[in-house]
Amino acid sequence: RSVNIVAFGNERDDGFSEDNRQPSLIWSYLGRSALISQIDSSLSASHVGNPVFTEYQACVFGNVRLVVHDCPVWDIFDSDWYTSRSLIGGADIIVIKYSVNDKTSFQELKDSYVPMIKKALNHCSVPVIISAIGARKNGVPCTCPLCTSDRRSCVTTSEGVQLAKELGATYLELHTLNDFYIQKYFGGVLEYFMIQSLNQKSSEKMKKRKKMQKCHRVQPPQLEQPEKMPILKGEASHYDADLHNLLCCCQCADVAFYPEDLSTVVEAHKIILCSVSHLFMLLFEVKSPADIHDASIVRTAQSLFAVEAEAAFPPAPRGIPPCVPLVRVVVKDSVFCSCLPDVLHFIYSGAFQWERLEEDIKKKLKDPEKTEHVLEKVKCILKTPGKLNTVKDCRSHQIKRLYNTSLRLFFNTPVLADVIFKIQGATVPAHRAVLVARCEVMAAMFNGNYLEANSILVPVYGVSKDTFLSFLEYLYTDSCCPASILQAMSLLICAEMYQVMRLQHICELYIITQLQSMPSRELASTSLSIVSLLKKAKFHNSDCLSTWLLHFIATNYLIFSQKPEFQDLSVEERNFVEMHRWPSNLYLKQLADYRNYVHSQKCHCTVM
């Protein structure tokens, strides 16, 4: 017997700081509960220096196996939706934690991740516990629903209760992680749901046992489980590496930074710089000073950079297409200019490795004052208008990866666009730098001896506008969400055409997931042609999907053998399906014999 618990969220006020030694809620409960024994823990694969989740295994109630997955980073829903959904799907109890003093994280949980949790639960009756942890730092909060005195800095009780109502969850407030709150309050509720889960499992097991014992005289033939279908594994994201390689090779660079003596040049890309910095938006006229609403950003831009006329500069660097205008920028601050390559590497790596940037600049300058001066300039470059920047805000665990959110702002917009795709009579603006970084086919197209290398308008054939937009959205954001199986197949074909293998794998996983969740009745009545999907998967070199679809047809043989499309299978495919069909011919023969036996016996009650 076992109980699986999945815990999401971070109960600490200041994230994952190394100085914060406060134990987690889950670890505190496991360490203090008298019912828990034989505790063991292990970390999952690392994700940007932080573990995606920690797995605890222990014994509860003497001989019941307790498995807990503690996921402090909500980013698992963004980076690995399939893992997070499988964790929720296998959970008997879900615990959601947040700090009452971290209003920003709570708002992000409410707006972004609660809808994902609802979708993953899919109307399952899994108990959810919401734990609001910590004492509010601005005094005792008012519990009146109409009071707004402490809502700016802390999460109020009414907000937590409202979130619990939305999820149908049990709401708990734990002002501190002491014995009372951990063992009697939180532990009591958690152990109640553990007992409920064990009772439910025991009841289901007993019903299954009774059902199997009904036929005590002549047993029907045993139906074996169908063959296991091949498992498709997702490919790890190389999004950050793609954009960092763009800086190293300087393809399609449209910005050149010079010192005041014009002795050296550092190339970059406006779209990447503007995706992480309002200051660069101001410098490259994406936004005006009136849009920024922050005088410090305007002053820093004016004191640090100057966009100069082309005539005053040496010839343009090699490898830049003539159709891409080069913006020349003079860096007025010589100390900052000497560290500019390190700053650009920091920005192109996702602007989250702040400690590494500090270390690199310290080694280069070897002067604390100059180092602090350069770091302050970088903070101002990354500054959000109207918000004070602190060292804490720049730590790696505080800054999220910027590209998959910031580059979305430039997706399908003419701002800074340097290429326009013409497709089905419509135009779609895009940015060469992003396309070259994320797609090898487009990198060859825009940098080789092709017409597209020197053209602004590029025609696209063989794919619909909606599918191509979904493809571009993946290149910009590293994520996609097809609306249907057919759209996923169209996107898979587009991904194969441009050789973006990870997107192809994502589409394969989506198609498989949707088909696996389809009930037999819907599968029998659907107009979707699985055989047609099989043919397309084979034609476009999707070997994993085509093999899986063959197994899927064989596993649902009784449904597909009645459909006209079954006749479209090739001889080789038909032989494979017949060999692996479920149920097998042998079982059907045994079942027919058993039915004939029952009918011939005409059994009557022995008492009568």
Side-chain angles (χ1 to χ4, degrees), residues 49-77:
N50 293 322
V52 176
F53 60 79
T54 304
E55 179 178 312
Y56 301 100
Q57 294 193 18
C59 289
V60 63
F61 305 128
N63 62 345
V64 176
R65 182 168 169 262
L66 178 64
V67 180
V68 184
H69 291 93
D70 192 2
C71 310
V73 182
W74 284 107
D75 290 349
I76 187 175
F77 283 88

Side-chain angles (χ1 to χ4, degrees), residues 560-578:
F560 288 109
S561 61
Q562 305 301 317
K563 291 194 171 190
E565 64 184 271
F566 190 77
Q567 306 303 321
D568 297 333
L569 291 172
S570 65
V571 175
E572 181 183 356
E573 293 166 347
R574 183 80 66 85
N575 291 338
F576 179 92
V577 170
E578 293 290 348

Side-chain angles (χ1 to χ4, degrees), residues 1-4 58-67 92 194-203 205 209:
R1 295 189 302 170
S2 65
V3 176
N4 294 316
C59 289
V60 63
F61 305 128
N63 62 345
V64 176
R65 182 168 169 262
L66 178 64
V67 180
D92 298 314
M194 286 185 197
I195 294 172
Q196 292 288 92
S197 175
L198 291 171
N199 289 340
Q200 183 179 356
K201 290 182 178 180
S202 298
S203 176
K205 188 175 181 181
R209 184 179 299 173

